[in-house]
Amino acid sequence: DPEMSRGLGDVYKRQGKGYGEALILEYALEHSLFVHQCDFLVKITGRLKLLNVNSMIGFHRYILPHCDIQSEMDRRERYSDSRMLITSKGFLQHSFLARKERIDDSKGCNFEHILFTSIDEQKDFVFYPFLIRPLWRGISGTNGREYWEGNYRSLKLAYFKRMLNCMTEYNMCHPHNKPSMGVRLVLGMAGMAVGTVLRFFDWIKNE
């Protein structure tokens, strides 16, 4: 859409690329026939390849089918990674896009901060962080650096433990987000197992 492209150019100058990205998502919700037929949307940053995207989508589809929003969240930094999202149209429209006017890169309030706020302040949607570590390859559109941190078992386990801690902290603040007893039991046991393995790795490393 040429008219939209011209408008986005002005937006980038005024509020930054994060706000322009929010407008693209809003446009897709309003005009895409494909989006209208979907229950969930998967948003991935364009210049990157997510090597394990099928595993991450499969986990959502078969393990967390009632989850409205998945993102990699850092509660201490009040930041949610926007390189990949799995989101319902309801969350995207009524929680995130309802706050899009707050996005302004020139004021240090970017897409990722508003995504965190949208997840943290809402009370109608179910959130889980990604429990499978994303494997990124490609070039950052922000700083030009190459993504690749390796696919090491210790990194995957440490990531999983960090996201379990994030989920626990989130659920303490949002009682409505409580998972089912079965999911809590499985994830609780997984957290204990991962913690034990990581301590074992630390012990081996220090020997």
Side-chain angles (χ1 to χ4, degrees):
D1 189 324
E3 185 176 340
M4 183 182 182
S5 297
R6 288 193 296 272
L8 285 175
D10 295 336
V11 166
Y12 290 151
K13 295 176 184 177
R14 187 172 66 251
Q15 288 179 253
K17 66 182 181 65
Y19 183 72
E21 190 171 8
L23 291 183
I24 292 171
L25 291 172
E26 186 173 56
Y27 185 88
L29 276 179
E30 293 176 356
H31 296 92
S32 170
L33 294 177
F34 176 76
V35 168
H36 279 286
Q37 296 170 0
C38 297
D39 296 321
F40 285 86
L41 304 176
V42 179
K43 177 262 181 195
I44 300 177
T45 295
R47 294 184 66 184
L48 300 176
K49 292 181 180 179
L50 183 57
L51 303 184
N52 59 342
V53 61
N54 289 336
S55 297
M56 298 184 72
I57 293 174
F59 188 93
H60 177 89
R61 177 179 294 171
Y62 298 111
I63 306 300
L64 299 173
H66 302 297
C67 174
D68 295 291
I69 172 67
Q70 277 196 279
S71 170
E72 182 180 336
M73 177 190 281
D74 187 328
R75 289 188 59 77
R76 290 176 176 79
E77 297 294 329
R78 300 188 63 80
Y79 177 97
S80 288
D81 195 329
S82 68
R83 289 175 296 176
M84 180 184 183
L85 306 175
I86 300 179
T87 176
S88 67
K89 290 182 287 187
F91 172 84
L92 190 62
Q93 183 172 11
H94 300 299
S95 190
F96 176 72
L97 290 175
R99 296 172 170 85
K100 73 180 187 299
E101 298 301 330
R102 303 188 202 175
I103 301 173
D104 191 332
D105 291 358
S106 67
K107 297 179 181 178
C109 186
N110 57 33
F111 189 107
E112 291 78 9
H113 294 120
I114 297 305
L115 177 60
F116 173 89
T117 299
S118 301
I119 296 171
D120 202 53
E121 291 183 355
Q122 61 82 24
K123 297 180 180 178
D124 299 316
F125 302 99
V126 176
F127 163 77
Y128 280 94
F130 290 127
L131 298 176
I132 297 176
R133 177 174 171 261
L135 293 178
W136 294 107
R137 290 300 294 262
I139 304 297
S140 168
T142 300
N143 54 34
R145 75 177 178 88
E146 184 175 359
Y147 283 98
W148 180 243
E149 298 170 342
N151 187 24
Y152 305 110
R153 185 177 294 118
S154 59
L155 289 177
K156 289 191 285 188
L157 289 172
Y159 174 89
F160 182 61
K161 187 70 167 66
R162 182 162 60 87
M163 290 299 104
L164 283 177
N165 291 340
C166 170
M167 188 183 73
T168 300
E169 293 172 7
Y170 185 88
N171 287 341
M172 289 176 63
C173 300
H174 300 77
H176 74 282
N177 198 71
K178 290 289 187 184
S180 68
M181 180 64 73
V183 171
R184 274 185 285 171
L185 181 62
V186 169
L187 294 179
M189 293 174 63
M192 289 189 289
V194 169
T196 300
V197 172
L198 288 174
R199 286 192 293 272
F200 177 73
F201 282 167
D202 289 338
W203 178 78
I204 292 294
K205 192 183 301 181
N206 295 327
E207 281 296 306

